Amino acid sequence: MTGTLTIVGLGPGNEAFITPEAQAAIDRASDVVGYIPYVKRIAPRDGLTLHASDNRVEIDRSIHALEMATEGKQVVVVSSGDPGVFAMASAVFEALEDGIRDHPEWASLDIQVVPGITAMLAASAACGAPLGHDFCAINLSDNLKPFALVEHRLRHAARGDFAMGFYNPRSKSRPTQFGQVLDILREELTPDHMIIFARAVSTDEQAINIQRLGDATPDMADMRTVVLVGNSGTHVIEGTVIVNTPRSQMDWVPS
């Protein structure tokens, strides 16, 4: 049997948000590889082996997946959201690139990436259309890049009047950095800029908290929270709780 390696996204949490293509790949799999809480979302069945591992062994996980696919197994690597957004697709390809000289057989593997619904897009949909105009996504974790680079990108995105989506805003190991992020935003934006804290989006625990930037505090976010920051045109439609960023912003002028 020829092995395959499929990298799929499980969406933001609600099982209904798993695409049919991703589910079909999981149904065909002989082995599923991923971070412990994501692998727990996969139902056990005869003929399927689940390989759960810690969050900080992405390259080891990727090598394991490549090796099993080379052995003829039907391997699925799972991520939350979309596998290409701060997730396992890049890790698999990094492992492939680093190891292909020693393992030339990896070059002929059937490797496919199946897109998924990201937490950022699910959060946006849950409150309206805050990403309706130009936007960017920034991972606030400095585990794989210096915080100076986070700050550099934050400032330039804010100066460009982008709406922004933030992943990994605050954790037990990084309890103070999100406060620094808010300080940077307040230096670059007005206090009336909208900021949305979307926690556990798409699950039964979903909570949407819409604030002015001037009123936001670091404890409004944790690792289950996606943070959305509006641009200068983002607003709540009068008489509703719908957040909208108009597609047309022809009246914008640089400050």
Side-chain angles (χ1 to χ4, degrees), residues 120-155:
M120 179 181 67
L121 298 182
S124 177
C127 58
L131 303 180
H133 199 67
D134 299 336
F135 68 90
C136 65
I138 302 175
N139 186 342
L140 298 183
S141 171
D142 61 354
N143 287 336
L144 298 173
K145 61 178 181 286
F147 188 75
L149 181 56
V150 175
E151 178 177 355
H152 174 79
R153 290 175 174 168
L154 278 173
R155 290 192 185 278

mmCIF file of all heavy atoms in Angstrom, residues 120-155:
data_model
loop_
_atom_site.group_PDB
_atom_site.id
_atom_site.type_symbol
_atom_site.label_atom_id
_atom_site.label_comp_id
_atom_site.label_asym_id
_atom_site.label_seq_id
_atom_site.Cartn_x
_atom_site.Cartn_y
_atom_site.Cartn_z
ATOM 1 N N MET A 120 -9.938 32.716 14.139
ATOM 2 C CA MET A 120 -10.094 34.131 13.833
ATOM 3 C C MET A 120 -11.342 34.378 12.987
ATOM 4 O O MET A 120 -12.123 35.303 13.258
ATOM 5 C CB MET A 120 -8.859 34.636 13.088
ATOM 6 C CG MET A 120 -8.913 36.088 12.682
ATOM 7 S SD MET A 120 -7.419 36.608 11.787
ATOM 8 C CE MET A 120 -7.581 35.645 10.281
ATOM 9 N N LEU A 121 -11.575 33.548 11.987
ATOM 10 C CA LEU A 121 -12.738 33.730 11.124
ATOM 11 C C LEU A 121 -14.022 33.355 11.851
ATOM 12 O O LEU A 121 -15.061 33.990 11.661
ATOM 13 C CB LEU A 121 -12.566 32.914 9.850
ATOM 14 C CG LEU A 121 -11.370 33.302 8.983
ATOM 15 C CD1 LEU A 121 -11.332 32.460 7.719
ATOM 16 C CD2 LEU A 121 -11.395 34.783 8.631
ATOM 17 N N ALA A 122 -13.960 32.331 12.698
ATOM 18 C CA ALA A 122 -15.140 31.972 13.493
ATOM 19 C C ALA A 122 -15.484 33.080 14.473
ATOM 20 O O ALA A 122 -16.662 33.396 14.697
ATOM 21 C CB ALA A 122 -14.895 30.659 14.230
ATOM 22 N N ALA A 123 -14.458 33.702 15.065
ATOM 23 C CA ALA A 123 -14.687 34.810 15.994
ATOM 24 C C ALA A 123 -15.305 35.995 15.270
ATOM 25 O O ALA A 123 -16.227 36.653 15.772
ATOM 26 C CB ALA A 123 -13.378 35.217 16.653
ATOM 27 N N SER A 124 -14.805 36.286 14.085
ATOM 28 C CA SER A 124 -15.356 37.380 13.300
ATOM 29 C C SER A 124 -16.827 37.133 12.979
ATOM 30 O O SER A 124 -17.673 38.024 13.137
ATOM 31 C CB SER A 124 -14.554 37.545 12.007
ATOM 32 O OG SER A 124 -15.104 38.549 11.182
ATOM 33 N N ALA A 125 -17.151 35.924 12.548
ATOM 34 C CA ALA A 125 -18.534 35.602 12.206
ATOM 35 C C ALA A 125 -19.452 35.675 13.413
ATOM 36 O O ALA A 125 -20.633 36.024 13.294
ATOM 37 C CB ALA A 125 -18.595 34.209 11.580
ATOM 38 N N ALA A 126 -18.916 35.346 14.595
ATOM 39 C CA ALA A 126 -19.747 35.329 15.806
ATOM 40 C C ALA A 126 -20.216 36.717 16.214
ATOM 41 O O ALA A 126 -21.204 36.837 16.951
ATOM 42 C CB ALA A 126 -18.964 34.689 16.952
ATOM 43 N N CYS A 127 -19.510 37.758 15.748
ATOM 44 C CA CYS A 127 -19.920 39.112 16.151
ATOM 45 C C CYS A 127 -20.262 40.000 14.968
ATOM 46 O O CYS A 127 -20.534 41.195 15.150
ATOM 47 C CB CYS A 127 -18.854 39.757 17.030
ATOM 48 S SG CYS A 127 -17.238 39.879 16.278
ATOM 49 N N GLY A 128 -20.256 39.476 13.768
ATOM 50 C CA GLY A 128 -20.634 40.262 12.610
ATOM 51 C C GLY A 128 -19.608 40.156 11.507
ATOM 52 O O GLY A 128 -19.374 39.072 10.971
ATOM 53 N N ALA A 129 -18.975 41.295 11.176
ATOM 54 C CA ALA A 129 -17.970 41.299 10.114
ATOM 55 C C ALA A 129 -16.856 42.294 10.422
ATOM 56 O O ALA A 129 -16.570 43.201 9.637
ATOM 57 C CB ALA A 129 -18.613 41.631 8.778
ATOM 58 N N PRO A 130 -16.177 42.136 11.564
ATOM 59 C CA PRO A 130 -15.092 43.068 11.895
ATOM 60 C C PRO A 130 -13.883 42.949 10.979
ATOM 61 O O PRO A 130 -13.025 43.837 10.964
ATOM 62 C CB PRO A 130 -14.733 42.697 13.336
ATOM 63 C CG PRO A 130 -15.161 41.275 13.478
ATOM 64 C CD PRO A 130 -16.386 41.147 12.628
ATOM 65 N N LEU A 131 -13.795 41.868 10.197
ATOM 66 C CA LEU A 131 -12.689 41.692 9.257
ATOM 67 C C LEU A 131 -13.163 41.939 7.830
ATOM 68 O O LEU A 131 -12.608 41.382 6.876
ATOM 69 C CB LEU A 131 -12.090 40.281 9.393
ATOM 70 C CG LEU A 131 -11.595 39.895 10.786
ATOM 71 C CD1 LEU A 131 -11.032 38.479 10.774
ATOM 72 C CD2 LEU A 131 -10.555 40.882 11.308
ATOM 73 N N GLY A 132 -14.162 42.798 7.670
ATOM 74 C CA GLY A 132 -14.755 43.016 6.360
ATOM 75 C C GLY A 132 -13.889 43.793 5.394
ATOM 76 O O GLY A 132 -14.182 43.830 4.197
ATOM 77 N N HIS A 133 -12.841 44.428 5.886
ATOM 78 C CA HIS A 133 -11.912 45.170 5.031
ATOM 79 C C HIS A 133 -10.531 44.519 5.182
ATOM 80 O O HIS A 133 -10.430 43.396 5.660
ATOM 81 C CB HIS A 133 -11.910 46.649 5.456
ATOM 82 C CG HIS A 133 -11.368 47.576 4.417
ATOM 83 N ND1 HIS A 133 -12.016 47.800 3.220
ATOM 84 C CD2 HIS A 133 -10.237 48.343 4.396
ATOM 85 C CE1 HIS A 133 -11.313 48.672 2.504
ATOM 86 N NE2 HIS A 133 -10.235 49.011 3.190
ATOM 87 N N ASP A 134 -9.470 45.200 4.788
ATOM 88 C CA ASP A 134 -8.126 44.624 4.883
ATOM 89 C C ASP A 134 -7.788 44.285 6.334
ATOM 90 O O ASP A 134 -8.053 45.072 7.239
ATOM 91 C CB ASP A 134 -7.081 45.616 4.363
ATOM 92 C CG ASP A 134 -7.301 45.974 2.901
ATOM 93 O OD1 ASP A 134 -7.919 45.169 2.188
ATOM 94 O OD2 ASP A 134 -6.857 47.061 2.500
ATOM 95 N N PHE A 135 -7.186 43.112 6.540
ATOM 96 C CA PHE A 135 -6.839 42.695 7.897
ATOM 97 C C PHE A 135 -5.580 41.853 7.879
ATOM 98 O O PHE A 135 -5.130 41.388 6.832
ATOM 99 C CB PHE A 135 -7.993 41.924 8.553
ATOM 100 C CG PHE A 135 -8.272 40.589 7.928
ATOM 101 C CD1 PHE A 135 -7.644 39.427 8.371
ATOM 102 C CD2 PHE A 135 -9.188 40.477 6.884
ATOM 103 C CE1 PHE A 135 -7.913 38.198 7.795
ATOM 104 C CE2 PHE A 135 -9.458 39.247 6.304
ATOM 105 C CZ PHE A 135 -8.826 38.106 6.764
ATOM 106 N N CYS A 136 -5.009 41.629 9.062
ATOM 107 C CA CYS A 136 -3.844 40.765 9.198
ATOM 108 C C CYS A 136 -3.994 39.919 10.452
ATOM 109 O O CYS A 136 -4.773 40.239 11.346
ATOM 110 C CB CYS A 136 -2.552 41.565 9.248
ATOM 111 S SG CYS A 136 -2.390 42.628 10.696
ATOM 112 N N ALA A 137 -3.256 38.826 10.505
ATOM 113 C CA ALA A 137 -3.237 37.943 11.674
ATOM 114 C C ALA A 137 -1.835 37.933 12.258
ATOM 115 O O ALA A 137 -0.848 37.819 11.524
ATOM 116 C CB ALA A 137 -3.644 36.528 11.283
ATOM 117 N N ILE A 138 -1.752 38.077 13.578
ATOM 118 C CA ILE A 138 -0.460 38.097 14.264
ATOM 119 C C ILE A 138 -0.505 37.126 15.440
ATOM 120 O O ILE A 138 -1.412 37.194 16.261
ATOM 121 C CB ILE A 138 -0.116 39.516 14.764
ATOM 122 C CG1 ILE A 138 -0.079 40.517 13.597
ATOM 123 C CG2 ILE A 138 1.224 39.522 15.505
ATOM 124 C CD1 ILE A 138 0.137 41.955 14.025
ATOM 125 N N ASN A 139 0.477 36.250 15.506
ATOM 126 C CA ASN A 139 0.637 35.362 16.648
ATOM 127 C C ASN A 139 1.456 36.114 17.701
ATOM 128 O O ASN A 139 2.609 36.472 17.456
ATOM 129 C CB ASN A 139 1.357 34.090 16.210
ATOM 130 C CG ASN A 139 1.434 33.048 17.305
ATOM 131 O OD1 ASN A 139 1.264 33.349 18.481
ATOM 132 N ND2 ASN A 139 1.696 31.815 16.914
ATOM 133 N N LEU A 140 0.867 36.374 18.864
ATOM 134 C CA LEU A 140 1.543 37.172 19.890
ATOM 135 C C LEU A 140 2.555 36.386 20.710
ATOM 136 O O LEU A 140 3.293 36.962 21.508
ATOM 137 C CB LEU A 140 0.503 37.800 20.826
ATOM 138 C CG LEU A 140 -0.483 38.768 20.171
ATOM 139 C CD1 LEU A 140 -1.413 39.362 21.225
ATOM 140 C CD2 LEU A 140 0.232 39.864 19.409
ATOM 141 N N SER A 141 2.608 35.069 20.529
ATOM 142 C CA SER A 141 3.595 34.269 21.257
ATOM 143 C C SER A 141 5.002 34.577 20.757
ATOM 144 O O SER A 141 5.229 34.741 19.550
ATOM 145 C CB SER A 141 3.296 32.781 21.073
ATOM 146 O OG SER A 141 4.358 31.997 21.589
ATOM 147 N N ASP A 142 5.953 34.629 21.688
ATOM 148 C CA ASP A 142 7.352 34.798 21.300
ATOM 149 C C ASP A 142 8.140 33.500 21.474
ATOM 150 O O ASP A 142 9.360 33.527 21.607
ATOM 151 C CB ASP A 142 8.006 35.946 22.081
ATOM 152 C CG ASP A 142 8.018 35.716 23.586
ATOM 153 O OD1 ASP A 142 7.421 34.718 24.058
ATOM 154 O OD2 ASP A 142 8.625 36.529 24.309
ATOM 155 N N ASN A 143 7.455 32.372 21.436
ATOM 156 C CA ASN A 143 8.158 31.090 21.544
ATOM 157 C C ASN A 143 9.052 30.832 20.331
ATOM 158 O O ASN A 143 10.101 30.198 20.450
ATOM 159 C CB ASN A 143 7.157 29.937 21.684
ATOM 160 C CG ASN A 143 6.512 29.888 23.045
ATOM 161 O OD1 ASN A 143 7.067 30.377 24.021
ATOM 162 N ND2 ASN A 143 5.323 29.308 23.132
ATOM 163 N N LEU A 144 8.631 31.296 19.157
ATOM 164 C CA LEU A 144 9.371 31.012 17.927
ATOM 165 C C LEU A 144 9.869 32.276 17.236
ATOM 166 O O LEU A 144 10.374 32.208 16.111
ATOM 167 C CB LEU A 144 8.485 30.203 16.967
ATOM 168 C CG LEU A 144 8.042 28.830 17.486
ATOM 169 C CD1 LEU A 144 7.037 28.186 16.532
ATOM 170 C CD2 LEU A 144 9.246 27.913 17.668
ATOM 171 N N LYS A 145 9.719 33.418 17.884
ATOM 172 C CA LYS A 145 10.243 34.662 17.334
ATOM 173 C C LYS A 145 10.413 35.641 18.489
ATOM 174 O O LYS A 145 9.736 35.523 19.509
ATOM 175 C CB LYS A 145 9.305 35.245 16.275
ATOM 176 C CG LYS A 145 7.903 35.619 16.758
ATOM 177 C CD LYS A 145 7.084 36.225 15.622
ATOM 178 C CE LYS A 145 5.689 36.633 16.091
ATOM 179 N NZ LYS A 145 4.797 35.500 16.305
ATOM 180 N N PRO A 146 11.313 36.625 18.350
ATOM 181 C CA PRO A 146 11.512 37.573 19.457
ATOM 182 C C PRO A 146 10.317 38.512 19.594
ATOM 183 O O PRO A 146 9.646 38.855 18.615
ATOM 184 C CB PRO A 146 12.774 38.335 19.046
ATOM 185 C CG PRO A 146 12.815 38.209 17.559
ATOM 186 C CD PRO A 146 12.226 36.863 17.236
ATOM 187 N N PHE A 147 10.080 38.970 20.821
ATOM 188 C CA PHE A 147 8.962 39.875 21.044
ATOM 189 C C PHE A 147 9.172 41.197 20.313
ATOM 190 O O PHE A 147 8.206 41.868 19.948
ATOM 191 C CB PHE A 147 8.756 40.127 22.540
ATOM 192 C CG PHE A 147 7.491 40.894 22.824
ATOM 193 C CD1 PHE A 147 6.259 40.270 22.737
ATOM 194 C CD2 PHE A 147 7.537 42.241 23.152
ATOM 195 C CE1 PHE A 147 5.090 40.972 22.973
ATOM 196 C CE2 PHE A 147 6.367 42.955 23.400
ATOM 197 C CZ PHE A 147 5.141 42.312 23.304
ATOM 198 N N ALA A 148 10.424 41.560 20.048
ATOM 199 C CA ALA A 148 10.688 42.783 19.287
ATOM 200 C C ALA A 148 10.065 42.715 17.895
ATOM 201 O O ALA A 148 9.610 43.735 17.351
ATOM 202 C CB ALA A 148 12.194 43.018 19.182
ATOM 203 N N LEU A 149 10.028 41.516 17.313
ATOM 204 C CA LEU A 149 9.396 41.351 16.008
ATOM 205 C C LEU A 149 7.880 41.467 16.124
ATOM 206 O O LEU A 149 7.226 42.048 15.250
ATOM 207 C CB LEU A 149 9.785 40.001 15.407
ATOM 208 C CG LEU A 149 9.220 39.678 14.022
ATOM 209 C CD1 LEU A 149 9.585 40.762 13.013
ATOM 210 C CD2 LEU A 149 9.718 38.311 13.558
ATOM 211 N N VAL A 150 7.319 40.928 17.210
ATOM 212 C CA VAL A 150 5.883 41.105 17.469
ATOM 213 C C VAL A 150 5.553 42.591 17.530
ATOM 214 O O VAL A 150 4.608 43.070 16.890
ATOM 215 C CB VAL A 150 5.475 40.403 18.783
ATOM 216 C CG1 VAL A 150 4.010 40.694 19.105
ATOM 217 C CG2 VAL A 150 5.715 38.897 18.700
ATOM 218 N N GLU A 151 6.339 43.341 18.301
ATOM 219 C CA GLU A 151 6.093 44.776 18.447
ATOM 220 C C GLU A 151 6.215 45.496 17.108
ATOM 221 O O GLU A 151 5.384 46.347 16.764
ATOM 222 C CB GLU A 151 7.071 45.388 19.457
ATOM 223 C CG GLU A 151 6.894 46.892 19.610
ATOM 224 C CD GLU A 151 7.796 47.517 20.667
ATOM 225 O OE1 GLU A 151 8.512 46.751 21.353
ATOM 226 O OE2 GLU A 151 7.774 48.756 20.796
ATOM 227 N N HIS A 152 7.229 45.166 16.331
ATOM 228 C CA HIS A 152 7.446 45.790 15.020
ATOM 229 C C HIS A 152 6.215 45.593 14.129
ATOM 230 O O HIS A 152 5.720 46.553 13.512
ATOM 231 C CB HIS A 152 8.682 45.175 14.374
ATOM 232 C CG HIS A 152 8.945 45.616 12.973
ATOM 233 N ND1 HIS A 152 9.534 46.824 12.675
ATOM 234 C CD2 HIS A 152 8.687 45.008 11.783
ATOM 235 C CE1 HIS A 152 9.636 46.944 11.352
ATOM 236 N NE2 HIS A 152 9.131 45.862 10.794
ATOM 237 N N ARG A 153 5.713 44.377 14.077
ATOM 238 C CA ARG A 153 4.572 44.090 13.203
ATOM 239 C C ARG A 153 3.294 44.729 13.724
ATOM 240 O O ARG A 153 2.465 45.217 12.939
ATOM 241 C CB ARG A 153 4.422 42.573 13.049
ATOM 242 C CG ARG A 153 5.559 41.990 12.214
ATOM 243 C CD ARG A 153 5.549 40.489 12.111
ATOM 244 N NE ARG A 153 6.582 40.058 11.179
ATOM 245 C CZ ARG A 153 6.986 38.804 11.043
ATOM 246 N NH1 ARG A 153 6.446 37.838 11.788
ATOM 247 N NH2 ARG A 153 7.919 38.491 10.177
ATOM 248 N N LEU A 154 3.121 44.746 15.043
ATOM 249 C CA LEU A 154 1.960 45.405 15.625
ATOM 250 C C LEU A 154 1.910 46.883 15.241
ATOM 251 O O LEU A 154 0.868 47.394 14.815
ATOM 252 C CB LEU A 154 2.005 45.301 17.157
ATOM 253 C CG LEU A 154 1.525 44.030 17.825
ATOM 254 C CD1 LEU A 154 1.839 44.093 19.319
ATOM 255 C CD2 LEU A 154 0.034 43.850 17.615
ATOM 256 N N ARG A 155 3.030 47.556 15.426
ATOM 257 C CA ARG A 155 3.053 48.995 15.156
ATOM 258 C C ARG A 155 2.754 49.292 13.686
ATOM 259 O O ARG A 155 1.989 50.212 13.360
ATOM 260 C CB ARG A 155 4.409 49.587 15.564
ATOM 261 C CG ARG A 155 4.629 49.620 17.070
ATOM 262 C CD ARG A 155 5.829 50.474 17.438
ATOM 263 N NE ARG A 155 6.107 50.409 18.877
ATOM 264 C CZ ARG A 155 5.473 51.136 19.796
ATOM 265 N NH1 ARG A 155 4.510 51.983 19.417
ATOM 266 N NH2 ARG A 155 5.787 51.026 21.077
#
